[in-house]
Amino acid sequence: MTDRVLVAGAGPVGLTMAMELARYGVPVRVIDKIAGPSDTSRAVAIWPRTLELLDRSGVAGDLVKAGNHVVAANIFSGNSRVGQIKLDGITSPFPFALMAPQYETEGVLRRHLKAHGIEPQFSTELADIAQDKDGVTATLRAGDGTETAERFDWLVACDGSHSVVRHRLGLEFEGDTLGLDWTQGDFHLTGMPIPSSELAIFWHPEGALMFFPMAADRYRIITSLGPSSDVEPVPLDLDAFQKVIDRRGPGGITLTDTVWTSAFRINERQVGSYRSGRIFLAGDAAHVHSPAGGQGMNTGMQDAINLAWKLALVARGISAAPVLLDSYDAERRPVGAEVIQESGRLTKAATLENHALQDVRNFVAHLVLGLAPAQHAIAGMITEVAIGYPQSPLNGPSDGGTAAAVGARVPPAVDEAPYGGADSPRFSLHGTGEGAASLLSQFPALLEPQLRAAKAAGRLTLVRPDGYLAMSAPTEDWQAVANYLAGYAAPTGIAPPPA
Ligand SMILES: Cc1cc2nc3c(=O)[nH]c(=O)nc-3n(C[C@H](O)[C@H](O)[C@H](O)COP(=O)(O)OP(=O)(O)OC[C@H]3O[C@@H](n4cnc5c(N)ncnc54)[C@H](O)[C@@H]3O)c2cc1C
């Protein structure tokens, strides 16, 4: 066995997983049953928190060059604006949403993966799995039908919503299919009255219409078709889309060319556990939800980033603490559940059928979006910078002496190296003093070699490789940080970090 981890699926989540593991020095193989890279547009939005996390590997810089920057989201009813959510008010090196076709995002990820010497192995299907206490046996089926059984230490299932791994494990994909049909497409157009730096949602009495600007003249357009029937939904063609836009949109828009179309029903489903022994599920294999809000791909990529540094610490023998791998499900499943709930709410609001309720919705939304605290909360949710792990078993002690609570995102500073950005997943320690310096020499495998500038006078602040607050303590209480890190240090690592 040469590769320690098998990643099944080379979509955006599998590629993110493989790239993170590869840059952290873990031998990894990523396979996909399709013959070559996908060329479909699919998910278009990459939110600021995902960009922050992809900045740790250098991917964000290339993505940012490949997409359109969106700084506000508008909701309209006819020609009157119900409200606007400003995305550029958040504290982030990336105060905008990036709009790019999914094949571009995957292309950038593949290039970075290749820079670490790894390329996806296409035409290779994961046909079956078996696991025991020491590893996973994967049956791999090549394009010509030949099968081989290979051993890996761990398997990460990034094999999408129809995940064969989930089926083989017998895990339920609990949830519902909503009763509305939808269609979407990428079109070239003229006459859009809203700047291409802003996305627009139209709440029309007949249904929703959304415009995501991918370039000044290219938009992702999504619209509801009506109640589902026994017949699978089919995408509208350009003429039919144009008619819907004329009825539901602001007027004056002309579609000139179709790039891609599809039709879909919304599934809201989540698996009951993201881990089964040595097998982890990430991305659409673990959760699917409404594309309203565009959080699906982002949530999956953040699953991968959450798991990768933990798996790398364990795979490289730096830590043997079981709590590390256990925390993946504990942290990411609640995030997935919240995304399902919030995107479902957005979809229901956009597709209300009762006209009186539509008026109430418009009035309440106008009122709420005019309030600064509501703006802040909604922008935090959409941009995903509000995601945190307040109940994480990895959270260490805090006496409340820092602005952020344990488990919360620590906003990356523009003038500092990103957290977790090097070739080994290390925690970052902010602070000063002899105690802090001695921690660096006690825990060289777990801590970055240099102290970072103190976040608050007289305090030590320990930040995880994925940029969430692990713990904080007064400078003189550096032993508390030592106790926390000792919980992870191999080979003692059975004990969880102190509560
Ligand atoms: C038509 C369509 C439109 C979409 N539009 C949007 C949108 O507008 N906004 C949005 O946010 N999201 C959208 N999505 C969802 C978004 O594309 C997914 O959330 C995202 O791709 C999830 O990434 P993933 O890597 O988890 O799964 P996928 O992208 O599905 O990748 C899974 C990969 O695993 C491979 N695979 C499957 N089984 C096996 C196996 N047994 N062995 C080997 N390989 C296997 C597949 O070939 C595939 O390449 C859309 C999806 C579809 C299908």
Side-chain angles (χ1 to χ4, degrees):
M1 180 184 72
T2 49
D3 296 319
R4 308 276 310 279
V5 180
L6 176 65
V7 176
V13 177
L15 290 169
T16 304
M17 187 74 217
M19 190 207 50
E20 287 285 286
L21 288 174
R23 80 182 177 90
Y24 282 148
V26 178
V28 58
R29 183 163 355 153
V30 54
I31 59 164
D32 202 298
K33 65 181 180 184
I34 55 176
S38 160
D39 59 0
T40 49
S41 186
R42 298 195 281 161
V44 290
I46 306 181
W47 299 105
R49 184 58 181 152
T50 307
L51 290 171
E52 288 178 2
L53 290 165
L54 290 173
D55 198 31
R56 298 150 64 253
S57 54
V59 167
D62 287 349
L63 278 178
V64 161
K65 285 183 229 148
N68 182 41
H69 299 193
V70 165
V71 295
N74 300 290
I75 300 174
F76 293 93
S77 176
N79 276 321
S80 64
R81 190 157 74 181
V82 175
Q84 184 183 59
I85 302 149
K86 294 185 77 60
L87 308 178
D88 54 359
I90 59 165
T91 308
S92 171
F94 303 96
F96 53 84
L98 188 79
M99 300 289 156
Q102 189 170 318
Y103 58 79
E104 284 280 2
T105 303
E106 292 179 10
V108 171
L109 286 166
R110 270 196 311 276
R111 284 200 293 283
H112 279 261
L113 182 61
K114 193 174 177 186
H116 295 285
I118 293 171
E119 292 187 66
Q121 189 178 321
F122 287 107
S123 299
T124 307
E125 181 177 359
L126 179 62
D128 207 355
I129 49 167
Q131 66 169 324
D132 52 53
K133 70 178 183 34
D134 299 318
V136 179
T137 303
T139 305
L140 305 183
R141 186 180 297 138
D144 63 5
T146 43
E147 291 190 354
T148 50
E150 298 199 38
R151 285 286 281 179
F152 298 87
D153 288 348
W154 290 277
L155 166 66
V156 187
C158 306
D159 51 346
S161 57
H162 300 290
S163 170
V164 75
V165 176
R166 196 183 61 233
H167 288 296
R168 290 286 187 277
L169 290 172
L171 295 171
E172 289 289 318
F173 209 24
E174 287 156 27
D176 288 314
T177 304
L178 305 189
L180 263 189
D181 288 352
W182 294 76
T183 184
Q184 64 176 344
D186 292 358
F187 294 95
H188 289 112
L189 55 75
T190 59
M192 170 54 92
I194 299 137
S196 61
S197 57
E198 299 182 9
L199 67 84
I201 298 169
F202 291 86
W203 284 347
H204 187 270
E206 288 174 10
L209 175 68
M210 303 173 219
F211 291 86
F212 295 82
M214 302 167 80
D217 67 340
R218 177 176 169 170
Y219 281 70
R220 163 66 55 84
I221 307 175
I222 307 179
T223 195
S224 53
L225 288 171
S228 304
S229 66
D230 292 343
V231 184
E232 282 293 306
V234 286
L236 297 185
D237 64 15
L238 186 142
D239 289 341
F241 245 108
Q242 180 70 57
K243 287 198 180 89
V244 175
I245 290 167
D246 292 343
R247 286 172 71 81
R248 299 184 184 177
I253 297 172
T254 305
L255 302 182
T256 55
D257 176 35
T258 310
V259 181
W260 173 82
T261 58
S262 77
F264 61 94
R265 284 186 186 139
I266 295 170
N267 278 290
E268 293 184 336
R269 296 179 190 278
Q270 190 179 29
V271 75
S273 171
Y274 282 21
R275 180 182 180 191
S276 169
R278 290 177 166 272
I279 301 173
F280 303 88
L281 291 98
D284 279 17
H287 48 78
V288 288
H289 27 80
S290 164
Q295 314 268 311
M297 181 179 74
N298 289 265
T299 306
M301 290 163 94
Q302 292 185 34
D303 290 343
I305 285 165
N306 181 286
L307 175 60
W309 67 269
K310 300 167 180 175
L311 196 51
L313 280 178
V314 175
R316 289 185 45 184
I318 298 168
S319 177
V323 71
L324 263 181
L325 297 183
D326 287 346
S327 71
Y328 169 62
D329 175 74
E331 291 182 350
R332 292 306 299 174
R333 201 151 45 83
V335 171
E338 198 174 329
V339 172
I340 290 171
Q341 196 179 50
E342 294 305 333
S343 58
R345 261 194 208 136
L346 273 175
T347 308
K348 284 180 193 104
T351 53
L352 268 182
E353 283 178 4
N354 180 301
H355 286 217
L357 288 179
Q358 287 173 356
D359 289 342
V360 174
R361 170 199 66 193
N362 295 359
F363 177 73
V364 171
H366 181 70
L367 215 65
V368 168
L369 292 173
L371 301 172
Q375 271 278 333
H376 182 73
I378 295 169
M381 183 188 80
I382 294 177
T383 59
E384 302 190 345
V385 297
I387 290 174
Y389 307 120
Q391 305 300 329
S392 171
L394 299 189
N395 289 346
S398 173
D399 55 7
T402 49
V406 281
R409 159 185 171 264
V410 182
V414 182
D415 53 353
E416 269 182 14
Y419 297 118
D423 57 4
S424 190
R426 292 189 170 93
F427 289 73
S428 304
L429 185 59
H430 291 267
T432 54
E434 278 178 29
S438 84
L439 288 169
L440 300 187
S441 49
Q442 273 185 68
F443 299 100
L446 286 172
L447 283 177
E448 286 176 344
Q450 255 101 44
L451 290 174
R452 294 189 181 223
K455 285 271 174 205
R459 296 201 67 82
L460 298 175
T461 305
L462 187 68
V463 182
R464 300 168 20 160
D466 55 356
Y468 294 90
L469 183 65
M471 67 165 292
S472 85
T475 303
E476 61 278 10
D477 199 9
W478 58 271
Q479 189 59 45
V481 181
N483 291 344
Y484 178 93
L485 292 170
Y488 296 114
T492 57
I494 304 301

